[in-house]
Amino acid sequence: MTAIQMPIPALTIRAGQRALQRLKERPLSPADIHVIPGAAGGPKALGLSGLDKAIFGDWLPQAPQARVLIGSSIGSWRFAAIASSDNPRAQLSKLAELYTCQRFAKGVSAAEVSRKSVLFLEELLGGREDYLLNHPWYRLNVVVVRSLGLLEHDARGRLGLGLMSAISANMVSRRHLSRFMERGIVHDARIKTPIAKLVDFPRHEVALSRENLMPTLLASASIPLVMSGVRNIPGAPEGVYRDGGLLDYHLDLPYEQPGIILYPHFTDKVVPGWFDKTLPWRRGDATRLQDVLLVSPSKAYLDSLPDRKLPDRKDFEKYLGDDAGRERSWRAAIAQSDRLGDEFLELVENGKLLDQVQPL
């Protein structure tokens, strides 16, 4: 007898305790979703392109309602692209192509990377600012950090020393990062930020505007030593602003919302901050994650990709001198990501999502 070959799932789906209980009571509906986080992760976002297109282009429009999109770094760029048009599929494709086509010479300066990033954002969002700020359903929230102490400097020596100090302090306790940075949330002016009061780090909130939209997005992705800091975001406290992922890499935040938090993510775990990536004991808080439904590529899916992983920033080094090879690999990963979206739509439409859910 020939064995029946079952398709290998492209998605890993995990749910917090309360989200899992809700799914046991009734199938997931787009009306359940009011908040969607987007993590930092650079080019990894390209590997989620097909999943994003299915969620924002096909599924969520079935239940039009106000929804908060909250992202740091590339997560904020993904969501800005989505909210900048009534055709999110087209804007997600444009984001992926613009990112793929970036080329950097060996030893490129932080100032040059920032200059090209400004051009990137202008190409992606230029002329769409008013639509984004007044989107009928989406409310964009962008996470940034205001640098303190040595992290205020762009000189490599001082900034490098500041980063080493922050890494050492974080090893002892994440709360020690409050000496080096302050959390900033630049939010849609029409809504309150959907996050409970935070006491872990100093925090300020600023309304998103036409004047601060582009500087905020640039700051949220400004990785220290890779890009220059952004000075004095309009409307925000004075200072140098950097990548929101430094504090909120995977957005382990105490959300306040009805229903379930849908989290399309690069990985099946939540890492609080950028400096926690190498600390396996530093993971997301179960209480904060209790309403989260985390949807990510499965290991089997990742193994099927050209480089057996999603695109990432290290590919610029791996393919140094072979930009065409990197671009082929990335475009293949982007094309294959349609499998992620197709599987998600199939699971929510046939009511079999719960069969694939694991505890988070």
Side-chain angles (χ1 to χ4, degrees), residues 42 110 155 349:
E349 289 168 4

Side-chain angles (χ1 to χ4, degrees), residues 48-303:
L48 293 187
S49 186
L51 180 60
D52 281 344
K53 288 175 182 177
I55 290 172
F56 292 97
D58 299 310
W59 191 62
L60 291 178
Q62 296 173 23
Q65 62 189 21
R67 293 186 172 95
V68 172
L69 311 180
I70 180 166
S72 63
S73 198
I74 192 62
S76 68
W77 290 27
R78 285 164 61 203
F79 291 159
I82 288 163
S84 66
S85 170
D86 60 359
N87 186 352
R89 281 181 165 272
Q91 279 295 87
L92 286 164
S93 292
K94 187 174 184 179
L95 170 68
E97 184 60 19
L98 286 171
Y99 208 134
T100 298
C101 289
Q102 288 187 114
R103 296 187 175 189
F104 299 105
K106 184 177 181 180
V108 62
S109 69
E112 175 64 9
V113 178
S114 290
R115 186 189 71 82
K116 286 192 172 183
S117 296
V118 169
L119 297 176
F120 184 124
L121 288 170
E122 289 175 347
E123 178 70 17
L124 179 67
L125 302 174
R128 300 177 178 273
E129 296 91 343
D130 291 335
Y131 189 91
L132 189 160
L133 294 169
N134 297 284
H135 195 283
W137 309 121
Y138 296 131
R139 312 290 186 253
L140 180 64
N141 287 240
V142 182
V143 181
V144 296
V145 298
R146 187 166 76 101
S147 304
L148 305 175
L150 288 175
L151 294 190
E152 295 183 64
H153 301 276
D154 272 326
R156 293 187 69 87
R158 288 185 175 184
L159 180 56
L161 182 59
L163 288 170
M164 289 174 61
S165 299
I167 291 169
S168 299
N170 183 69
M171 287 284 290
V172 178
S173 174
R174 179 167 152 79
R175 60 186 168 83
H176 291 317
L177 289 177
S178 62
R179 307 203 312 267
F180 301 91
M181 57 193 81
E182 174 181 295
R183 177 184 284 122
I185 300 178
V186 188
H187 62 90
D188 189 297
R190 296 169 289 180
I191 54 117
K192 172 183 175 291
T193 303
I195 298 171
K197 183 178 180 181
L198 289 161
V199 297
D200 53 352
F201 299 103
R203 162 185 170 182
H204 65 267
E205 296 186 12
V206 179
L208 198 60
S209 67
R210 213 178 194 285
E211 291 71 34
N212 66 25
L213 173 62
M214 292 298 201
T216 295
L217 290 170
L218 182 65
S220 188
S222 292
I223 303 169
L225 299 178
V226 176
M227 294 170 64
S228 303
V230 175
R231 186 171 295 278
N232 299 338
I233 291 175
E238 289 188 1
V240 174
Y241 287 82
R242 300 191 188 276
D243 196 311
L246 292 171
L247 273 184
D248 296 304
Y249 187 49
H250 292 171
L251 298 132
D252 177 30
L253 298 169
Y255 300 103
E256 290 184 326
Q257 83 302 318
I260 287 175
I261 298 164
L262 179 62
Y263 192 169
H265 194 19
F266 321 119
T267 179
D268 65 348
K269 59 181 178 289
V270 173
V271 178
W274 194 47
F275 300 125
D276 299 321
K277 292 189 293 182
T278 58
L279 308 179
W281 62 87
R282 198 73 63 80
R283 291 292 179 261
D285 183 284
T287 301
R288 294 179 172 185
L289 298 174
Q290 61 183 335
D291 292 316
V292 169
L293 182 68
L294 194 74
V295 182
S296 63
S298 68
K299 184 179 184 304
Y301 171 82
L302 295 175
D303 285 343

Side-chain angles (χ1 to χ4, degrees), residues 22-63:
R22 286 178 64 95
L23 291 172
K24 290 178 179 178
E25 294 170 359
R26 61 180 183 272
L28 182 68
S29 160
D32 295 328
I33 310 302
H34 298 267
V35 173
I36 305 173
K44 293 185 181 72
L46 311 189
L48 293 187
S49 186
L51 180 60
D52 281 344
K53 288 175 182 177
I55 290 172
F56 292 97
D58 299 310
W59 191 62
L60 291 178
Q62 296 173 23

